[in-house]
Amino acid sequence: MPEFKAGRNAAELLRQHKEIHKGMDIFEEYLNKCRSGETDFELSVLKTKMDSWGEVLWKHLDQEVKTLGVENMRKYWTVEEMRRMPM
């Protein structure tokens, strides 16, 4: 599939993954600081941290649904090949 080969589509998916993980790391760091008592929990701060990567997450999920949908997948693999894929 072109999405998993070097190129524009793959670069976009990888860029999205990096942005999502960066946001999740910041989100997790904030929650850990709240758990440890280092900082007070504030819902508005949590929302800001989530909003910083929410748009790219939804875009990425929408693209993955289309990319990994049956109509697209059958262009590249047979049903038998799909069954052998470790998932």
Side-chain angles (χ1 to χ4, degrees), residues 1-5 9-10 13 60-79 81-82 85 87:
M1 291 180 70
E3 293 83 0
F4 298 104
K5 294 179 182 175
N9 287 341
L13 293 174
H60 184 78
L61 293 175
D62 286 342
Q63 288 177 338
E64 278 191 336
V65 166
K66 185 176 179 180
T67 299
L68 300 176
V70 67
E71 292 303 319
N72 194 47
M73 297 293 274
R74 68 170 43 126
K75 293 177 191 175
Y76 304 99
W77 293 291
T78 66
V79 172
E81 288 171 322
M82 289 295 299
M85 289 183 182
M87 292 186 215

Side-chain angles (χ1 to χ4, degrees), residues 2-58:
E3 293 83 0
F4 298 104
K5 294 179 182 175
R8 188 172 148 194
N9 287 341
E12 174 64 11
L13 293 174
L14 292 173
R15 185 199 63 75
Q16 290 171 348
H17 269 253
K18 287 178 184 177
E19 194 172 331
I20 292 165
H21 283 279
K22 180 181 174 184
M24 289 173 61
D25 289 343
I26 292 168
F27 179 77
E28 183 178 29
E29 180 184 355
Y30 174 70
L31 291 177
N32 285 335
K33 286 180 178 180
C34 292
R35 274 192 210 108
S36 72
E38 185 179 336
T39 192
D40 292 331
F41 176 80
E42 294 181 46
L43 195 53
S44 62
V45 173
L46 182 67
K47 183 180 181 329
T48 299
K49 294 187 182 303
M50 292 174 72
D51 286 345
S52 71
W53 53 279
E55 186 176 331
V56 71
L57 173 65
W58 289 113

